[in-house]
Amino acid sequence: MARTAGSHSDVTGPRVRAAALRLFAKSGYAAVSMRSIAAEVGVQVGALYNYTPDKQSLLFDLMRSHLEDLLERAGPGEGEAAERLAGFVSFHIRYHHDRQDAVFIAYMELRNLSEENFQVIEGLRRRYEDLLEEILAAGVAEGRFDIADTRIATRAVIAMLTGVSTWFRESGRLTLEDVETQYRKMVLNAVRV
Amino acid sequence: MARTAGSHSDVTGPRVRAAALRLFAKSGYAAVSMRSIAAEVGVQVGALYNYTPDKQSLLFDLMRSHLEDLLERAGPGEGEAAERLAGFVSFHIRYHHDRQDAVFIAYMELRNLSEENFQVIEGLRRRYEDLLEEILAAGVAEGRFDIADTRIATRAVIAMLTGVSTWFRESGRLTLEDVETQYRKMVLNAVRV
């Protein structure tokens, strides 16, 4: 039954992507072969090529779908900038905390994208940064935030928030809510008048 | 002359380390062979083994020397906590901004350390975090900082600062001083009463 199901690309696709994500995160893109991905999925390597033309496309798909999903879920928020910023902080921490492999790859494997693919990924990343920068600019316009350069502040906030996914563990002494609360406070204090 | 010089490990050592750092950062530890490191240095692979027993030792050496050098240069600072914190921000940004490969490897290749080596590296990293946490705790004791959990704040600040090395370029529209000034302000605001 597994073999029959595996022959349909709508079933194989998610399994291929999950296997590739796992292997890229574990060993790095350059050290992973199409053959090892096929073995991880439990199909012949030929079956893999029904789903994806090559390893580069697989990496690009993983990064693109990660960012597109992120953009789809991230809203501009409503209300005053301070409230929207707090919402952004919570969203970012919650979205990334159980996607460590995707976060790791998004940062680590940029160097392995073709130039054309890199430009697409950078464009998506920039759109996500723009969401936050717009909130920061709105806060400045309201006279509530004091920020010399909103692009720098955007990068600082995103780096700070993404860092959570590298150390937060459910089994640790703090809940995700504790972490979220403290980050909301730090971020708001960092930018407000 | 190059070949004669290369036969002395005190000359080859730094070249081997520089080559390994470059290649690990470019392709990832798993994809780099001792043979390719030797080729990058311009020596036979046998000569490499005069300097290092294996690739794992080379990775460990790179990470350990990066962190030991960092710890040697980072001082506790003097004066009030706010002043010490500002000093830490500037130090961290300046130290890391021209060491992108080392920063990248320190984060990316943790997974490839043996368990024993990982514990050593984690210990050094923790000592560096402790330097910052002690400053934050001093600020709380002075009644000048308001921080719910100094360990979380430490990680947040370090992630934020290290992020600079991933995007700052000398050729960009901002000088390192501009960046430093804005980060000092954001970090101080993030934690102060």
Side-chain angles (χ1 to χ4, degrees):
Chain A
M1 199 182 92
R3 196 176 299 173
T4 311
S7 69
H8 297 293
S9 66
D10 55 338
V11 176
T12 308
R15 287 169 58 212
V16 170
R17 295 153 64 98
L21 183 64
R22 208 156 47 230
L23 292 178
F24 290 162
K26 188 176 154 209
S27 311
Y29 175 81
V32 174
S33 64
M34 286 293 268
R35 193 164 296 276
S36 58
I37 296 170
E40 178 89 359
V41 179
V43 297
Q44 296 292 319
V45 69
L48 220 56
Y49 290 102
N50 290 333
Y51 171 68
T52 184
D54 51 36
K55 201 172 65 153
Q56 172 70 211
S57 305
L58 211 42
L59 177 64
F60 177 56
D61 276 358
L62 286 173
M63 286 183 162
R64 188 179 54 185
S65 60
H66 171 68
L67 285 166
E68 284 178 346
D69 186 60
L70 176 70
L71 280 163
E72 200 169 299
R73 288 163 196 257
E78 283 181 15
E80 298 199 334
E83 196 183 336
R84 292 168 63 203
L85 180 56
F88 184 93
V89 169
S90 290
F91 165 77
H92 189 96
I93 290 176
R94 287 182 175 273
Y95 186 83
H96 290 89
H97 103 280
D98 57 353
R99 288 177 175 85
Q100 288 178 29
D101 282 353
V103 170
F104 187 60
I105 283 177
Y107 169 61
M108 175 186 76
E109 299 295 5
L110 282 175
R111 62 186 172 178
N112 281 316
L113 287 173
S114 69
E115 181 56 30
E116 192 184 334
N117 288 342
F118 178 78
Q119 293 304 332
V120 174
I121 297 301
E122 273 303 285
L124 291 169
R125 184 194 302 270
R126 176 56 76 109
R127 275 181 52 203
Y128 184 66
E129 287 184 3
D130 287 347
L131 283 178
L132 174 56
E133 190 171 5
E134 191 275 316
I135 294 172
L136 297 181
V140 172
E142 286 170 10
R144 306 291 290 275
F145 293 171
D146 175 20
I147 301 169
D149 186 303
T150 52
R151 176 57 49 177
I152 288 189
T154 296
R155 285 169 170 160
V157 170
I158 287 180
M160 185 171 159
L161 300 179
T162 304
V164 174
S165 75
T166 67
W167 59 262
F168 181 77
R169 299 294 172 269
E170 302 285 358
S171 56
R173 66 191 168 84
L174 297 159
T175 66
L176 194 61
E177 286 70 27
D178 296 333
V179 173
E180 228 181 293
T181 303
Q182 193 167 339
Y183 272 77
R184 287 165 76 125
K185 186 176 160 199
M186 283 189 290
V187 169
L188 281 168
N189 283 347
V191 299
R192 76 181 174 195
V193 171
Chain B
M1 198 182 95
R3 195 177 298 173
T4 312
S7 69
H8 298 293
S9 67
D10 57 338
V11 175
T12 308
R15 288 168 60 211
V16 170
R17 294 154 66 99
L21 182 65
R22 209 154 50 231
L23 292 177
F24 290 162
K26 188 176 154 210
S27 311
Y29 176 80
V32 175
S33 65
M34 287 292 269
R35 193 164 295 276
S36 58
I37 297 170
E40 179 88 0
V41 180
V43 298
Q44 297 293 318
V45 69
L48 221 55
Y49 290 103
N50 290 334
Y51 171 67
T52 183
D54 51 37
K55 201 170 67 152
Q56 171 69 213
S57 304
L58 212 41
L59 177 64
F60 177 57
D61 275 359
L62 286 173
M63 287 183 161
R64 188 179 52 184
S65 60
H66 171 68
L67 285 167
E68 284 178 346
D69 186 58
L70 177 70
L71 280 164
E72 199 170 301
R73 289 163 194 256
E78 283 181 14
E80 298 199 336
E83 196 183 335
R84 293 168 63 204
L85 180 56
F88 185 92
V89 169
S90 290
F91 166 76
H92 189 96
I93 290 176
R94 288 183 173 272
Y95 186 82
H96 291 90
H97 104 281
D98 57 354
R99 288 177 175 86
Q100 288 177 29
D101 282 352
V103 170
F104 187 60
I105 283 178
Y107 170 60
M108 175 187 76
E109 299 295 7
L110 281 176
R111 63 187 171 177
N112 281 315
L113 287 173
S114 68
E115 180 58 30
E116 192 184 336
N117 288 343
F118 178 79
Q119 292 305 332
V120 175
I121 297 301
E122 272 305 284
L124 291 170
R125 184 193 303 269
R126 176 57 75 107
R127 275 180 51 201
Y128 184 65
E129 287 184 5
D130 288 346
L131 283 178
L132 174 56
E133 190 172 3
E134 191 274 316
I135 295 171
L136 297 180
V140 172
E142 287 170 9
R144 305 291 290 274
F145 294 172
D146 175 21
I147 301 169
D149 186 303
T150 52
R151 177 56 50 178
I152 289 189
T154 296
R155 285 169 171 159
V157 170
I158 287 180
M160 185 171 162
L161 300 180
T162 304
V164 173
S165 75
T166 67
W167 59 262
F168 181 77
R169 298 293 171 271
E170 302 286 357
S171 57
R173 65 190 167 84
L174 297 159
T175 66
L176 194 61
E177 285 69 29
D178 295 332
V179 173
E180 227 181 293
T181 303
Q182 194 168 337
Y183 273 77
R184 286 165 77 125
K185 186 177 160 196
M186 282 190 291
V187 169
L188 281 168
N189 283 346
V191 299
R192 76 181 173 194
V193 172

